Amino acid sequence: MKNHKTIAEQATMQSFLNCYLRETGNFEEVENELGDYLTDQQVDRTIKCVLQNQAIEVIIPVRYWSLTGRHLFTFPIYYRNAGSQAVNPLDYITLVSLITKELLIEQKREDAEDEFMLRVILSSRNVTKYIEARLSDAERLSDANFSYIEAEQSLLFGHLMHPTSKSKQGISEEEEYLYSPELKGEFQLHYFRAHPSIVIQDSSLENSAATIIREELKESGQSNRLTDKEEDVFLPAHPLQAKHLIEREDVQSLLTKGLLAYIGPLGKKFTATSSFRTVYSKESKFMFKFSVPIKITNSLRVSQKKELDRGVEVSRLLDSKIGQDLRERFDRFHIIEDPAYLNLDLDGDSTGFEVIIRENPFYENDKDASLIAGLCQDHPYGEKTRIQAVIEDLAHQERRSTVKVSLDWFDRYLSISLDPILWLYETYGIALEAHQQNSVLKLDGGYPGTFYYRDNQGYYYSESKADLLVTHLPDLNRKSNTICSDEVAEERLRYYFFINHLFGLINGFGVSGLITEEKLLQLLRSRLEKHLNKGTAVGLIDSLINVPVLPCKANLLTRFHDMDELVGSLETQSVYTMIRNPIGQEVGLVYGK
């Protein structure tokens, strides 16, 4: 087996190059470019990227060519001066440097690329660390049977189409081992006691947010730490955030005035989910999502006040006829609610004290529940992917081919994910940002059983249906700022659910050798055509199946421009680019030039 550093660096190159190829289309297929260099190596084809401004060619041997755009490469990858026959192997830092320089020249920018380079290096180093630390879990990472938190903490490579998927800034080495999901640390939450006059809270549940937290502490045997004053509010905080908050001048003022008191660590042990700042305990009926002063991938991981209100607002919508309709039609589709929150009444879009209280549907039964990214994640040690283990187990039990099982599995999956998501958008104009990390699947006998969507940041109310939503919830959008143009709602639904999620899942089947991507793309297209014939989400579906190219979020270019996707208007949070459409009229169209 390759050493851990090599595994991490090759994974970094693969993600980085896949982003570049998808977002720029700057490549062409070539023949006989590497000759004897490819002796005894598995190569499907060879492609070349010409960096014209530097007169350099990057030669890439490909061992798996993907219709959905995430290819697997054979290493080493090579480069040479244009016109020369001699080639040299590329390390990941040289590759990133050459492509970054090319982008700077193309855009006539003179700013240094050191920040971008730093993020790539940090990400690669972190992957090395995680692979070293999790070697003992090699078999568990490809087991067909798993728990919710095992799946959440299985993303050692992270987002497979992101150039800096594991970069973290603002966290020490020691803190990583305590708080990062990849390293499975456990920790207590830290608590503040606040006078009710400085607390902001809301809840769609029978109990207030403050009561939920008090009950949580009582359940963990901390009744003796609670005051007799029922009006006192206890706010949990992530340990990383607590340390940061205590040092702030405005917080020091509240402490001095006696309006706020720092209690310290209390209660149950929690552990990080895949989102880092959302924490889970198998002993708790709720998960908690915090603001933390850490920059991960593109963004500083803080919650904004409007997102807290959005979570409670969605819960109230789901308590209305909208939720009743959804449950009656699609009983295997669930939205994990964020029904309550706590915060302090301080200035700014984010105070640092935000506590989002999230349902924990896996409290009593955490078996065989995985975020979709966990099913698709490449195995860090070269073993089976999770989806491969699941499908091969089913094929063995049923004495059927993996092709037939994969088609049945994916067809069932579309019934509990695609169908309700399209219905919700068509009927009520609610678009969900259902990407691979926001989507959790609970298996039933190995097949798709129940689909869960989560994320209070990922809701869009299309403008054309806003008046309908207001009839169900008169205060709609007053604080949540969720209404957007139909164009933006469709753009987000198209990218996050179709390109990121479904194309990513299809790629997971393909790279595992279970079935060709083309067969699953045809199944997806057929399902969309049926919806189109029924008049469901006509504009959206037409934009998916009857066009040669699709707008796609460009993770590399967004990162290159140092854009924070959690800040700014909906229209300017990310860079979008056009990519070839694998479910267009010609499924199987060659991707690229």
Side-chain angles (χ1 to χ4, degrees), residues 104-182:
L104 285 170
I105 296 171
E106 285 175 0
Q107 298 178 18
K108 296 181 172 57
R109 286 170 53 185
E110 296 181 355
D111 49 320
E113 65 272 26
D114 54 350
E115 176 69 14
F116 188 36
M117 291 289 298
L118 174 63
R119 299 276 179 86
V120 176
I121 292 168
L122 286 174
S123 181
S124 183
R125 286 180 175 175
N126 281 337
V127 173
T128 302
K129 182 194 322 178
Y130 304 151
I131 292 173
E132 288 174 347
R134 296 289 296 275
L135 182 59
S136 61
D137 283 341
E139 288 188 16
R140 289 295 300 154
L141 288 167
S142 63
D143 199 320
N145 301 299
F146 48 86
S147 69
Y148 168 76
I149 198 62
E150 282 181 315
E152 289 291 309
Q153 297 182 337
S154 70
L155 305 185
L156 305 194
F157 292 138
H159 189 339
L160 298 175
M161 289 296 289
H162 197 290
T164 62
S165 62
K166 290 298 177 180
S167 70
K168 295 186 180 81
Q169 291 172 290
I171 184 170
S172 70
E173 187 85 8
E174 294 77 14
E175 290 167 338
E176 270 261 40
Y177 278 91
L178 283 173
Y179 307 125
S180 287
E182 301 86 355

XYZ file of all heavy atoms in Angstrom, residues 104-182:
647
model
N -4.251 33.266 -12.966
C -3.915 34.668 -12.683
C -3.585 35.420 -13.968
O -4.027 36.561 -14.173
C -2.724 34.734 -11.723
C -3.001 34.411 -10.250
C -1.697 34.285 -9.478
C -3.897 35.470 -9.612
N -2.809 34.784 -14.847
C -2.439 35.437 -16.110
C -3.671 35.647 -16.985
O -3.874 36.724 -17.564
C -1.374 34.605 -16.854
C -0.084 34.545 -16.036
C -1.083 35.218 -18.229
C 0.954 33.580 -16.587
N -4.515 34.624 -17.079
C -5.723 34.719 -17.900
C -6.617 35.865 -17.445
O -7.233 36.556 -18.262
C -6.511 33.410 -17.836
C -5.905 32.271 -18.640
C -6.672 30.972 -18.428
O -7.662 30.980 -17.655
O -6.285 29.960 -19.027
N -6.693 36.069 -16.139
C -7.581 37.092 -15.597
C -6.878 38.426 -15.369
O -7.442 39.331 -14.770
C -8.196 36.578 -14.292
C -9.046 35.333 -14.503
C -9.613 34.784 -13.214
O -9.671 35.479 -12.205
N -10.035 33.528 -13.234
N -5.616 38.484 -15.849
C -4.829 39.717 -15.732
C -4.776 40.214 -14.287
O -4.880 41.403 -14.003
C -5.392 40.800 -16.652
C -5.302 40.448 -18.136
C -5.860 41.564 -19.007
C -5.591 41.292 -20.473
N -6.126 40.024 -20.971
N -4.601 39.260 -13.374
C -4.462 39.591 -11.964
C -3.006 39.486 -11.560
O -2.265 38.623 -12.040
C -5.294 38.631 -11.112
C -6.786 38.895 -11.179
C -7.581 37.782 -10.515
N -7.147 37.504 -9.151
C -7.644 36.509 -8.417
N -8.586 35.738 -8.907
N -7.204 36.286 -7.193
N -2.605 40.354 -10.652
C -1.218 40.350 -10.184
C -1.115 39.982 -8.705
O -0.014 39.906 -8.165
C -0.575 41.721 -10.417
C -0.477 42.085 -11.901
C 0.185 43.435 -12.117
O 0.479 44.120 -11.101
O 0.396 43.818 -13.285
N -2.262 39.770 -8.058
C -2.209 39.424 -6.642
C -1.592 38.044 -6.474
O -1.744 37.162 -7.299
C -3.597 39.482 -6.008
C -4.641 38.732 -6.822
O -4.600 38.822 -8.045
O -5.498 38.062 -6.215
N -0.894 37.855 -5.370
C -0.192 36.595 -5.120
C -1.190 35.478 -4.874
O -2.314 35.694 -4.422
C 0.737 36.750 -3.922
N -0.766 34.257 -5.183
C -1.627 33.099 -5.009
C -1.350 32.372 -3.706
O -1.768 31.234 -3.520
C -1.448 32.131 -6.186
C -0.075 31.496 -6.314
C 0.911 32.320 -7.134
O 0.755 33.549 -7.204
O 1.837 31.724 -7.692
N -0.623 33.021 -2.768
C -0.171 32.302 -1.582
C -1.322 31.808 -0.704
O -1.259 30.718 -0.132
C 0.806 33.151 -0.764
C 0.253 34.520 -0.397
O -0.811 34.896 -0.940
O 0.880 35.208 0.412
N -2.419 32.579 -0.593
C -3.553 32.151 0.233
C -4.186 30.887 -0.343
O -4.509 29.944 0.394
C -4.589 33.276 0.320
C -5.858 32.918 1.065
C -5.661 32.723 2.565
O -4.600 33.112 3.085
O -6.576 32.171 3.218
N -4.375 30.871 -1.644
C -4.948 29.700 -2.301
C -4.037 28.492 -2.128
O -4.486 27.394 -1.795
C -5.156 30.032 -3.783
C -5.907 28.979 -4.554
C -6.934 28.258 -3.968
C -5.600 28.725 -5.876
C -7.639 27.303 -4.678
C -6.292 27.776 -6.596
C -7.316 27.065 -6.001
N -2.768 28.693 -2.353
C -1.800 27.607 -2.195
C -1.795 27.091 -0.759
O -1.722 25.886 -0.512
C -0.399 28.097 -2.576
C -0.196 28.393 -4.052
S -0.162 26.903 -5.051
C 1.259 26.073 -4.387
N -1.862 28.008 0.192
C -1.865 27.618 1.605
C -3.045 26.701 1.905
O -2.891 25.684 2.601
C -1.931 28.866 2.490
C -2.094 28.609 3.990
C -0.898 27.846 4.550
C -2.283 29.928 4.747
N -4.233 27.027 1.384
C -5.416 26.209 1.645
C -5.238 24.797 1.086
O -5.641 23.819 1.707
C -6.653 26.848 1.019
C -6.982 28.225 1.550
C -7.795 28.168 2.837
N -8.063 29.508 3.321
C -9.099 30.243 2.924
N -9.942 29.766 2.050
N -9.276 31.444 3.417
N -4.662 24.699 -0.110
C -4.449 23.381 -0.715
C -3.473 22.561 0.135
O -3.685 21.372 0.398
C -3.925 23.518 -2.158
C -3.612 22.143 -2.744
C -4.938 24.236 -3.040
N -2.395 23.206 0.578
C -1.383 22.510 1.385
C -1.975 22.070 2.724
O -1.769 20.933 3.172
C -0.146 23.411 1.585
C 0.577 23.618 0.249
C 0.814 22.800 2.615
C 1.626 24.718 0.278
N -2.725 22.960 3.371
C -3.365 22.608 4.640
C -4.304 21.421 4.464
O -4.337 20.494 5.295
C -4.156 23.802 5.185
C -3.354 24.957 5.791
C -4.282 26.116 6.131
C -2.604 24.501 7.032
N -5.072 21.443 3.387
C -6.008 20.357 3.129
C -5.275 19.032 2.951
O -5.642 18.014 3.548
C -6.844 20.680 1.879
O -7.766 19.657 1.612
N -4.228 19.035 2.153
C -3.477 17.803 1.904
C -2.825 17.286 3.188
O -2.846 16.077 3.467
C -2.415 18.048 0.827
O -1.733 16.862 0.519
N -2.271 18.174 3.974
C -1.641 17.758 5.236
C -2.663 17.173 6.196
O -2.383 16.198 6.910
C -0.925 18.949 5.866
C 0.372 19.330 5.153
C 1.023 20.513 5.832
N 2.310 20.829 5.242
C 3.054 21.874 5.575
N 2.615 22.716 6.522
N 4.211 22.096 4.995
N -3.858 17.779 6.224
C -4.898 17.243 7.103
C -5.342 15.850 6.660
O -5.556 14.971 7.492
C -6.097 18.195 7.138
C -5.870 19.384 8.051
O -5.044 19.332 8.960
N -6.592 20.470 7.819
N -5.471 15.651 5.351
C -5.850 14.327 4.858
C -4.796 13.297 5.266
O -5.131 12.180 5.693
C -6.045 14.345 3.331
C -6.261 12.919 2.803
C -7.239 15.217 2.946
N -3.528 13.661 5.160
C -2.454 12.759 5.598
C -2.638 12.382 7.068
O -2.545 11.206 7.455
C -1.081 13.419 5.407
O -0.901 13.767 4.033
C 0.042 12.476 5.826
N -2.919 13.372 7.879
C -3.115 13.153 9.318
C -4.290 12.213 9.577
O -4.200 11.295 10.396
C -3.356 14.504 9.995
C -3.520 14.454 11.492
C -4.099 15.747 12.061
C -3.586 16.979 11.373
N -4.184 18.216 11.902
N -5.394 12.440 8.858
C -6.582 11.626 9.081
C -6.346 10.176 8.650
O -6.788 9.232 9.324
C -7.780 12.194 8.315
C -8.095 13.635 8.640
C -8.688 14.476 7.690
C -7.805 14.176 9.889
C -8.987 15.798 7.983
C -8.090 15.500 10.178
C -8.672 16.311 9.219
O -8.954 17.622 9.491
N -5.660 9.992 7.538
C -5.409 8.636 7.046
C -4.500 7.875 8.016
O -4.697 6.688 8.275
C -4.792 8.685 5.627
C -5.825 9.211 4.629
C -4.316 7.300 5.193
C -5.273 9.457 3.256
N -3.530 8.569 8.561
C -2.647 7.933 9.546
C -3.435 7.547 10.802
O -3.252 6.462 11.365
C -1.509 8.888 9.916
C -0.482 9.074 8.808
C 0.550 10.146 9.153
O 0.313 10.910 10.125
O 1.569 10.231 8.451
N -4.314 8.441 11.240
C -5.034 8.222 12.496
C -6.120 7.158 12.389
O -6.457 6.508 13.381
C -5.651 9.537 12.977
N -6.676 6.958 11.199
C -7.828 6.077 11.049
C -7.486 4.722 10.416
O -8.387 3.992 9.994
C -8.895 6.781 10.201
C -9.482 8.041 10.827
C -10.376 7.753 12.015
N -11.550 6.997 11.649
C -12.681 7.536 11.183
N -12.775 8.860 11.067
N -13.710 6.779 10.871
N -6.199 4.388 10.355
C -5.803 3.125 9.726
C -6.501 1.927 10.371
O -6.889 0.973 9.688
C -4.281 2.956 9.799
C -3.704 1.710 9.133
C -4.053 1.670 7.650
C -2.184 1.659 9.317
N -6.693 1.973 11.669
C -7.341 0.845 12.358
C -8.803 0.696 11.960
O -9.429 -0.341 12.227
C -7.237 1.020 13.873
O -7.899 2.205 14.294
N -9.377 1.728 11.324
C -10.776 1.691 10.894
C -10.927 1.264 9.442
O -12.029 1.372 8.877
C -11.425 3.080 11.044
C -11.775 3.397 12.484
O -11.863 2.450 13.284
O -11.949 4.580 12.800
N -9.856 0.796 8.823
C -9.885 0.514 7.382
C -11.049 -0.404 7.000
O -11.767 -0.152 6.026
C -8.556 -0.095 6.930
N -11.268 -1.473 7.770
C -12.346 -2.414 7.440
C -13.715 -1.790 7.707
O -14.648 -1.961 6.919
C -12.184 -3.695 8.248
C -11.015 -4.565 7.801
C -10.999 -5.916 8.505
O -12.039 -6.300 9.090
O -9.949 -6.577 8.470
N -13.831 -1.056 8.805
C -15.131 -0.447 9.137
C -15.568 0.575 8.089
O -16.758 0.758 7.856
C -15.059 0.248 10.511
C -14.975 -0.686 11.689
C -16.220 -1.532 11.849
N -17.425 -0.731 12.056
C -18.647 -1.138 11.737
N -18.842 -2.313 11.155
N -19.695 -0.375 11.966
N -14.601 1.226 7.450
C -14.929 2.257 6.470
C -15.565 1.693 5.211
O -16.104 2.454 4.397
C -13.677 3.063 6.107
C -13.162 4.009 7.195
C -11.774 4.518 6.867
C -14.126 5.179 7.398
N -15.495 0.378 5.028
C -16.160 -0.219 3.865
C -17.164 -1.293 4.278
O -17.577 -2.113 3.458
C -15.124 -0.812 2.906
O -14.396 -1.857 3.522
N -17.569 -1.264 5.531
C -18.552 -2.237 6.017
C -19.951 -1.837 5.534
O -20.312 -0.665 5.574
C -18.514 -2.292 7.542
C -19.145 -3.558 8.103
O -20.183 -3.987 7.553
O -18.597 -4.122 9.071
N -20.724 -2.815 5.094
C -22.091 -2.540 4.635
C -23.023 -2.204 5.796
O -24.118 -1.685 5.583
C -22.636 -3.733 3.858
N -22.600 -2.491 7.024
C -23.376 -2.160 8.217
C -22.634 -1.089 9.004
O -21.435 -1.227 9.260
C -23.589 -3.407 9.077
C -24.306 -4.503 8.323
O -25.439 -4.315 7.882
N -23.661 -5.642 8.152
N -23.339 -0.049 9.408
C -22.675 1.085 10.037
C -23.689 1.882 10.837
O -24.903 1.706 10.691
C -22.033 1.973 8.970
C -22.968 2.291 7.824
C -23.833 3.360 7.893
C -22.994 1.479 6.704
C -24.708 3.634 6.854
C -23.872 1.738 5.654
C -24.732 2.822 5.727
N -23.202 2.771 11.666
C -24.084 3.651 12.435
C -24.066 5.049 11.823
O -23.205 5.388 11.015
C -23.622 3.726 13.892
O -22.383 4.418 13.988
N -25.014 5.864 12.258
C -25.111 7.244 11.768
C -23.805 7.998 11.972
O -23.279 8.616 11.041
C -26.259 7.956 12.492
C -26.278 9.448 12.293
C -26.722 10.003 11.107
C -25.842 10.309 13.305
C -26.736 11.372 10.912
C -25.859 11.680 13.125
C -26.296 12.214 11.931
O -26.298 13.571 11.749
N -23.247 7.955 13.175
C -22.056 8.764 13.446
C -20.822 8.179 12.762
O -19.906 8.920 12.388
C -21.832 8.960 14.969
C -20.873 10.149 15.239
C -21.322 7.675 15.617
C -21.396 11.476 14.744
N -20.774 6.865 12.563
C -19.661 6.288 11.802
C -19.649 6.841 10.383
O -18.588 7.170 9.846
C -19.775 4.767 11.770
C -19.327 4.079 13.051
C -19.446 2.568 12.952
O -20.470 2.062 12.465
O -18.489 1.886 13.388
N -20.807 6.942 9.773
C -20.888 7.503 8.423
C -20.512 8.981 8.436
O -19.771 9.454 7.560
C -22.290 7.306 7.854
N -21.004 9.723 9.433
C -20.697 11.154 9.519
C -19.198 11.407 9.621
O -18.687 12.416 9.121
C -21.391 11.764 10.737
C -22.897 11.889 10.612
C -23.308 12.930 9.593
O -22.818 14.066 9.646
O -24.131 12.587 8.717
N -18.491 10.504 10.268
C -17.067 10.711 10.517
C -16.180 9.926 9.555
O -14.992 9.726 9.810
C -16.753 10.342 11.975
C -17.496 11.238 12.961
C -17.189 10.954 14.421
O -16.759 9.861 14.780
N -17.410 11.946 15.286
N -16.748 9.528 8.412
C -15.999 8.707 7.453
C -15.401 9.491 6.302
O -14.719 8.919 5.449
C -16.924 7.618 6.888
O -17.914 8.181 6.035
N -15.647 10.807 6.248
C -15.226 11.588 5.075
C -13.774 12.040 5.221
O -13.478 13.221 5.441
C -16.134 12.804 4.885
C -17.638 12.522 4.781
C -18.395 13.799 4.470
C -17.936 11.463 3.745
N -12.845 11.121 5.065
C -11.433 11.455 5.250
C -10.890 12.287 4.102
O -9.920 13.033 4.268
C -10.600 10.176 5.420
C -11.034 9.215 6.528
C -9.930 8.198 6.798
C -11.398 9.944 7.813
N -11.481 12.158 2.916
C -11.099 13.007 1.787
C -12.004 14.231 1.668
O -11.612 15.232 1.093
C -11.181 12.228 0.467
C -10.151 11.142 0.330
C -10.495 9.906 -0.202
C -8.834 11.343 0.716
C -9.550 8.897 -0.342
C -7.884 10.345 0.587
C -8.234 9.122 0.059
N -13.216 14.138 2.164
C -14.141 15.260 2.074
C -14.814 15.343 0.728
O -14.946 14.355 0.006
N -15.237 16.534 0.358
C -15.926 16.809 -0.907
C -14.988 16.449 -2.055
O -13.934 17.057 -2.225
C -16.306 18.293 -0.944
C -17.199 18.696 -2.067
N -17.334 17.967 -3.236
C -18.010 19.773 -2.210
C -18.185 18.580 -4.038
N -18.609 19.669 -3.428
N -15.382 15.446 -2.856
C -14.485 14.926 -3.883
C -14.350 15.840 -5.096
O -13.519 15.581 -5.969
C -14.969 13.539 -4.322
C -14.978 12.475 -3.214
C -15.581 11.170 -3.720
C -13.581 12.243 -2.652
N -15.175 16.888 -5.160
C -15.052 17.877 -6.238
C -14.786 19.264 -5.650
O -15.401 20.251 -6.025
C -16.312 17.877 -7.102
C -16.476 16.644 -7.973
S -15.177 16.450 -9.222
C -15.572 17.770 -10.350
N -13.849 19.305 -4.712
C -13.448 20.580 -4.094
C -11.933 20.604 -3.974
O -11.325 19.608 -3.555
C -14.092 20.732 -2.715
C -14.069 22.127 -2.204
N -12.915 22.759 -1.800
C -15.064 23.040 -2.057
C -13.192 23.990 -1.410
N -14.496 24.187 -1.550
N -11.292 21.706 -4.335
C -9.821 21.739 -4.335
C -9.181 21.804 -2.959
O -8.004 21.471 -2.806
C -9.502 23.008 -5.138
C -10.683 23.901 -4.901
C -11.874 22.972 -4.829
N -9.937 22.249 -1.952
C -9.354 22.383 -0.604
C -10.330 21.821 0.431
O -10.656 22.473 1.422
C -9.037 23.862 -0.281
O -10.255 24.620 -0.296
C -8.084 24.455 -1.294
N -10.785 20.605 0.204
C -11.912 20.065 0.965
C -11.639 19.927 2.452
O -12.557 19.930 3.270
C -12.313 18.708 0.398
O -11.238 17.789 0.515
N -10.373 19.769 2.851
C -10.065 19.565 4.265
C -9.192 20.676 4.855
O -8.535 20.469 5.876
C -9.385 18.202 4.458
C -10.321 17.016 4.251
C -11.470 17.019 5.251
C -12.441 15.885 5.016
N -13.550 15.894 5.989
N -9.221 21.840 4.225
C -8.461 22.942 4.823
C -9.227 23.507 6.011
O -10.435 23.686 5.963
C -8.206 24.049 3.788
O -9.405 24.722 3.468
N -8.510 23.742 7.092
C -9.086 24.368 8.281
C -8.091 25.417 8.764
O -6.894 25.152 8.875
C -9.330 23.351 9.401
C -10.366 22.278 9.087
C -10.635 21.421 10.321
C -11.671 20.344 10.049
N -11.099 19.180 9.370
N -8.594 26.599 9.074
C -7.744 27.665 9.605
C -8.346 28.186 10.901
O -9.555 28.398 10.990
C -7.605 28.803 8.580
C -6.797 28.403 7.348
C -6.839 29.462 6.268
O -7.876 29.671 5.644
N -5.733 30.127 6.027
N -7.497 28.364 11.902
C -7.961 28.862 13.187
C -8.106 27.775 14.234
O -8.760 27.995 15.256
N -7.478 26.624 14.004
C -7.575 25.519 14.946
C -6.192 24.891 15.110
O -5.462 24.715 14.130
C -8.606 24.474 14.465
C -8.776 23.350 15.501
C -8.250 23.909 13.098
C -9.946 22.432 15.201
N -5.835 24.585 16.341
C -4.509 24.025 16.608
C -4.520 22.509 16.399
O -5.569 21.878 16.275
C -4.091 24.325 18.050
O -4.883 23.581 18.962
N -3.324 21.927 16.411
C -3.183 20.478 16.255
C -3.911 19.743 17.387
O -4.624 18.758 17.150
C -1.691 20.115 16.268
C -1.388 18.665 15.957
C -1.294 18.390 14.471
O -1.320 19.345 13.677
O -1.197 17.214 14.107
N -3.753 20.208 18.604
C -4.399 19.554 19.747
C -5.919 19.660 19.641
O -6.649 18.704 19.950
C -3.928 20.195 21.060
C -2.458 19.997 21.383
C -1.536 20.907 20.570
O -2.052 21.888 19.943
O -0.322 20.649 20.539
N -6.409 20.819 19.211
C -7.851 21.015 19.072
C -8.431 20.126 17.974
O -9.557 19.641 18.082
C -8.148 22.487 18.786
C -7.897 23.381 19.986
C -7.891 24.860 19.634
O -7.666 25.204 18.444
O -8.092 25.683 20.540
N -7.670 19.921 16.918
C -8.112 19.028 15.838
C -8.475 17.657 16.384
O -9.500 17.071 16.026
C -6.994 18.879 14.797
C -7.046 19.908 13.683
C -7.696 19.350 12.430
O -8.689 18.609 12.542
O -7.210 19.666 11.342
N -7.622 17.120 17.251
C -7.853 15.773 17.766
C -9.069 15.711 18.685
O -9.662 14.648 18.866
C -6.602 15.257 18.482
C -5.590 14.709 17.515
C -4.597 15.524 16.982
C -5.650 13.376 17.093
C -3.681 15.027 16.054
C -4.740 12.871 16.171
C -3.759 13.700 15.653
O -2.872 13.207 14.734
N -9.455 16.823 19.245
C -10.643 16.845 20.096
C -11.928 17.087 19.314
O -12.976 16.511 19.633
C -10.496 17.951 21.155
C -9.586 17.660 22.346
C -9.418 18.919 23.185
C -10.158 16.525 23.198
N -11.863 17.954 18.283
C -13.090 18.497 17.717
C -13.369 18.153 16.255
O -14.459 18.434 15.771
C -13.081 20.026 17.883
C -12.833 20.472 19.296
C -11.805 21.359 19.614
C -13.625 19.992 20.336
C -11.574 21.758 20.920
C -13.399 20.387 21.651
C -12.371 21.270 21.941
O -12.148 21.653 23.230
N -12.425 17.574 15.543
C -12.665 17.261 14.131
C -13.366 15.914 13.986
O -12.981 14.940 14.645
C -11.345 17.231 13.355
O -10.844 18.532 13.171
N -14.371 15.832 13.113
C -15.090 14.561 12.950
C -14.187 13.431 12.465
O -14.382 12.277 12.852
C -16.173 14.890 11.915
C -15.694 16.131 11.213
C -14.916 16.882 12.242
N -13.187 13.762 11.650
C -12.313 12.736 11.083
C -11.498 12.021 12.159
O -11.048 10.896 11.956
C -11.360 13.359 10.056
C -12.032 14.064 8.899
C -12.385 15.518 9.188
O -12.179 15.972 10.355
O -12.866 16.196 8.275
